[in-house]
């Protein structure tokens, strides 16, 4: 009995298409950039991202670039910052290798911030890539008042 071929996740399909187009952009030399990171670490921090989709996209991207250029890059999820306790718990389950979890992005102005993973204040680490989102609570499907918000984010 033949099985149906597995469908490619949309993010992987989009990143493969992007990689095919890179040589035509001229200003991007991904192979040189990979040389500067490999075999070291690509350190990522996120704030208010909701799902840290950036990490999943980077993992797919670096897996594809390793195939294409033969250069492996290790991704380190240095920190995430999320105000909502339920989202913080979800992120910690989704990313068990997460080094630090913070709850207040405004505390990043200080030398240290309260880290949920360590249970005490710690310095917010350096990152190669910082991804931040904006509050989507006003438009969330879980918000029963979202229809009152029109087309805008409140």
């Amino acid at each position: 009995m033949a099985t149906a071929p597995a469908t490619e996740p949309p993010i992987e399909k989009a990143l493969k298409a992007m990689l095919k187009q890179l040589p035509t952009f001229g200003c991007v030399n991904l192979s040189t950039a990979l040389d500067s990171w490999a075999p070291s670490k690509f350190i990522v921090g996120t704030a208010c991202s909701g799902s840290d989709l950036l990490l999943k996209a980077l993992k797919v991207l670096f897996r594809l670039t390793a195939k294409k250029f033969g250069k492996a890059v290790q991704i380190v999820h240095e920190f995430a910052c999320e105000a909502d306790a339920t989202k913080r718990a979800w992120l910690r389950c989704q990313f068990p290798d997460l080094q630090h979890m913070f709850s207040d992005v405004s505390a990043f102005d200080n030398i240290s911030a309260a880290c949920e993973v360590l249970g005490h204040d710690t310095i917010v680490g350096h990152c190669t890539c910082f991804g931040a989102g904006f509050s989507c609570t006003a438009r969330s499907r879980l918000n029963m008042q979202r229809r009152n918000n029109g087309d805008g984010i409140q």
Side-chain angles (χ1 to χ4, degrees):
M1 179 176 178
T3 59
T7 57
E8 193 171 49
I11 187 77
E12 189 159 340
K13 191 174 185 178
L15 289 170
K16 276 184 179 178
M18 182 197 77
L19 283 175
K20 285 180 186 173
Q21 295 298 318
L22 277 179
T24 64
F25 291 153
C27 63
V28 177
N29 189 333
L30 188 56
S31 182
T32 302
L34 290 169
D35 283 339
S36 71
W37 296 320
S40 62
K41 300 171 183 172
F42 190 82
I43 303 168
V44 180
T46 60
C48 312
S49 75
S51 64
D52 278 8
L53 181 61
L54 171 64
L55 266 288
K56 296 196 183 280
L58 285 172
K59 286 178 182 180
V60 171
L61 176 64
F62 285 138
R63 183 172 44 76
L64 293 172
T65 55
K67 276 185 191 176
K68 183 174 178 106
F69 299 106
K71 299 170 185 175
V73 176
Q74 178 188 0
I75 298 173
V76 176
H77 195 182
E78 177 67 22
F79 67 83
C81 184
E82 179 60 57
D84 184 272
T86 305
K87 287 182 183 178
R88 285 195 310 273
W90 184 86
L91 287 169
R92 288 184 66 189
C93 286
Q94 294 297 305
F95 301 98
D97 60 339
L98 179 63
Q99 305 291 306
H100 302 96
M101 172 61 77
F102 303 103
S103 62
D104 184 6
V105 74
S106 67
F108 286 10
D109 285 346
N110 303 323
I111 287 213
S112 64
C115 174
E116 194 174 280
V117 175
L118 299 176
H120 58 77
D121 279 15
T122 189
I123 294 173
V124 178
H126 162 80
C127 57
T128 312
C129 175
F130 178 71
F134 58 91
S135 176
C136 59
T137 306
R139 299 295 294 159
S140 170
R141 289 183 184 174
L142 298 176
N143 179 351
M144 301 316 281
Q145 302 302 314
R146 73 181 179 279
R147 287 182 178 82
N148 299 335
N149 295 330
D151 289 332
I153 302 294
Q154 308 260 327

